[in-house]
Amino acid sequence: MATTQTPSWREGMSSDNIKGLVLALSSSFFIGASFIVKKKGLKKAGASGVRAGVGGYSYLYEPLWWVGMITMIVGEIANFAAYAFAPAILVTPLGALSIIISAVLAHIILRERLHIFGILGCILCVVGSTTIVLHAPQEREIESVTEVWQMAMEPAFLLYAALVMTAVFILIFHFIPQYGQTHIMVYIGVCSLVGSLSVMSVKAIGIALKLTLSGMNQLIYPQTWIFTLVVITCVLTQMNYLNKALDTFNTAVVSPIYYVMFTSFTILASVIMFKDWDRQSPTQVVTEMCGFVTILSGTFLLHKTKDMADGPSASLSIRLSKHVEEDGFCGGEGIPLRRQESSRLP
């Protein structure tokens, strides 16, 4: 008598999706751990020299800080590679896992207390990430970077890109001069909108490099270099306005809002350009969105409870010292999102 076997989740995922998943998880681990190593290096350097928060650069002579920097670079390379194998709708939300790694390691190594609601936030992030992984669309087969270019030239994505650029120019030239110092959404809006375009270009470059390494040279196509130019332009723009946001507003506020907006626009851009949802049922799409909302809830809860960890006095101290930063993040505010610590292409 024949027996039927229920396919495992692994059998339901393509080999490329599995590679992208492993790379994305590795990226989260390395980047999350790098925050802790760098902070340990900053503290060690500050004990024997001028702290980074008051303009010192003694951390540049501290080997531990460089170990953290190298760890972060490895994580960013893994994240870059993940986009070449898996859809952005799978890779991008998993960035929240680096927050969990940072929070847990900070609790263990730096003795920074993790509030019970922070633990709940971590659990929500894990549940949401698992939901997305189990229902993520399969990566479509692409045989040339010119195929990606054709997708980018389709009317729907051209309309999206035009709307994004129009909104960015309006924000930069009209709203930032008037409201940049008082409304947090202005700076973050620019970063998030531009970031969604940079991720699409990063994915195109990743695909081109993957095909080139497999024997099909994609560097001969001008489209590869156009995508590279777009990435460079977008990243420089993101870094500029994200730094402005971090310098003006509290990191604990910037982090979750930036993560939500950046991830939302990236998923939207991916759905339009690569038509991720066309290969899925409505049930799968709704389940993915539920997983995404679960991750957002966990992220907000984790950041919201940072100030609760050490009581009201620590919370007041954090609010008063939001401009005192150590290598880009406030020592009293905990570990920020991964994209703020580096020039990460979203």
Side-chain angles (χ1 to χ4, degrees), residues 87-149:
I89 198 172
L90 169 61
V91 176
T92 306
L94 293 181
L97 296 181
S98 66
I99 309 171
I100 299 177
I101 300 296
S102 298
V104 172
L105 291 180
H107 177 74
I108 297 173
I109 298 176
L110 301 179
R111 305 299 180 186
E112 294 180 359
R113 184 183 170 193
L114 184 61
H115 194 274
I116 183 64
F117 288 113
I119 297 175
L120 177 59
C122 291
I123 294 174
L124 287 174
C125 287
V126 172
V127 171
S129 299
T130 303
T131 302
I132 290 178
V133 168
L134 294 178
H135 296 85
Q138 304 293 341
E139 176 74 338
R140 64 188 300 168
E141 295 292 333
I142 296 177
E143 299 181 355
S144 172
V145 71
T146 57
E147 289 186 38
V148 184
W149 180 261

Side-chain angles (χ1 to χ4, degrees), residues 6 15 21 25 46 56 60 62 69 72 97 99 114 132 158 174 188 209-210 221 250 271 282 295 306 322 334 336:
T6 302
S15 60
L21 171 62
L25 292 176
L60 293 177
E62 174 54 50
M69 179 60 70
M72 173 169 288
L97 296 181
I99 309 171
L114 184 61
I132 290 178
L158 286 177
H174 178 70
I188 295 181
L209 292 176
K210 180 179 71 172
Y221 296 107
N250 194 308
V271 167
I295 293 177
K306 282 180 182 177
K322 71 175 183 177

Side-chain angles (χ1 to χ4, degrees), residues 44-62:
K44 188 175 179 181
S48 58
V50 182
R51 295 176 63 250
V54 292
Y57 295 96
S58 58
Y59 62 86
L60 293 177
Y61 301 97
E62 174 54 50

Side-chain angles (χ1 to χ4, degrees), residues 19-64:
K19 293 175 184 176
L21 171 62
V22 172
L23 287 167
L25 292 176
S26 301
S27 171
S28 293
F29 175 79
F30 281 114
I31 292 177
S34 73
F35 293 144
I36 307 304
V37 178
K38 289 178 68 178
K39 189 166 185 178
K40 289 281 286 186
L42 287 169
K43 287 185 174 182
K44 188 175 179 181
S48 58
V50 182
R51 295 176 63 250
V54 292
Y57 295 96
S58 58
Y59 62 86
L60 293 177
Y61 301 97
E62 174 54 50
L64 192 59

Side-chain angles (χ1 to χ4, degrees), residues 89-291:
I89 198 172
L90 169 61
V91 176
T92 306
L94 293 181
L97 296 181
S98 66
I99 309 171
I100 299 177
I101 300 296
S102 298
V104 172
L105 291 180
H107 177 74
I108 297 173
I109 298 176
L110 301 179
R111 305 299 180 186
E112 294 180 359
R113 184 183 170 193
L114 184 61
H115 194 274
I116 183 64
F117 288 113
I119 297 175
L120 177 59
C122 291
I123 294 174
L124 287 174
C125 287
V126 172
V127 171
S129 299
T130 303
T131 302
I132 290 178
V133 168
L134 294 178
H135 296 85
Q138 304 293 341
E139 176 74 338
R140 64 188 300 168
E141 295 292 333
I142 296 177
E143 299 181 355
S144 172
V145 71
T146 57
E147 289 186 38
V148 184
W149 180 261
Q150 290 171 0
M151 296 176 195
M153 291 296 103
E154 290 186 2
F157 188 76
L158 286 177
L159 176 60
Y160 173 80
L163 291 175
V164 165
M165 295 309 300
T166 301
V168 167
F169 279 113
I170 291 175
L171 287 172
I172 291 176
F173 294 106
H174 178 70
F175 286 98
I176 284 180
Q178 298 183 42
Y179 307 107
Q181 298 297 311
T182 56
H183 291 72
I184 190 172
M185 299 300 290
V186 179
Y187 286 138
I188 295 181
V190 174
C191 297
S192 303
L193 288 167
V194 173
S196 68
L197 297 181
S198 67
V199 167
M200 298 304 101
S201 298
V202 164
K203 185 169 181 63
I205 296 172
I207 291 172
L209 292 176
K210 180 179 71 172
L211 293 173
T212 299
L213 294 175
S214 66
M216 295 180 287
N217 187 9
Q218 303 295 304
L219 302 181
I220 61 175
Y221 296 107
Q223 290 89 341
T224 301
W225 302 105
I226 294 175
F227 282 126
T228 303
L229 181 62
V230 171
V231 168
I232 294 173
T233 303
C234 290
V235 167
L236 291 176
T237 303
Q238 284 177 265
M239 289 175 61
N240 179 41
Y241 288 100
L242 184 55
N243 285 334
K244 290 179 183 292
L246 291 171
D247 186 57
T248 306
F249 304 99
N250 194 308
T251 305
V253 178
V254 173
S255 297
I257 295 177
Y258 177 55
Y259 174 78
V260 171
M261 291 187 63
F262 167 77
T263 306
S264 300
F265 282 121
T266 298
I267 290 176
L268 177 61
S270 181
V271 167
I272 295 173
M273 181 170 171
F274 291 96
K275 300 179 175 58
D276 294 327
W277 286 347
D278 289 358
R279 305 185 297 280
Q280 293 188 287
S281 66
T283 302
Q284 288 176 307
V285 173
V286 172
T287 304
E288 285 174 6
M289 289 298 96
C290 289

